[in-house]
Amino acid sequence: MTTTANKPAAIAAAYFSPTGGTRKAALMLAEALAGIVPLTEIDLSVPDLKGQTFAKADVIVVAVPVFGGRVPAFALKQLAAAGTGSQSCRPGRLWQPRL
């Protein structure tokens, strides 16, 4: 996908949500950012994340719960697995729509 006017090509909501609260928050934020661009939902609790590819201009909203000040080890493992394709996951520049 290509971008126009510095908008992301697509937005993905990647979440690890044992009770559903983190999923709800991730989707609310991603939907607010998405507007008219495609939105993809990625459940990090699914053991096999193969097939997830992202373009350089895509935005990924990542949401995980914190227990006792720590992110669950499984969630970290899944995030690392999601970034093992041709493009590694790394923080990018914050995209802000023009109001």
Side-chain angles (χ1 to χ4, degrees), residues 30-53:
E31 287 170 355
L33 291 172
I36 60 171
V37 298
L39 174 64
T40 303
E41 190 173 334
I42 303 168
D43 185 351
L44 295 174
S45 66
V46 175
D48 186 13
L49 290 177
K50 292 179 183 171
Q52 296 294 335
T53 59

Side-chain angles (χ1 to χ4, degrees), residues 43-93:
D43 185 351
L44 295 174
S45 66
V46 175
D48 186 13
L49 290 177
K50 292 179 183 171
Q52 296 294 335
T53 59
F54 304 104
K56 187 175 183 179
D58 290 348
V59 172
I60 305 168
V61 174
V62 178
V64 297
V66 176
F67 300 106
R70 296 182 181 264
V71 171
F74 183 77
L76 291 175
K77 178 182 169 188
Q78 290 296 86
L79 286 171
T84 58
S86 61
Q87 186 84 353
S88 63
C89 291
R90 65 186 192 287
R93 189 179 75 171

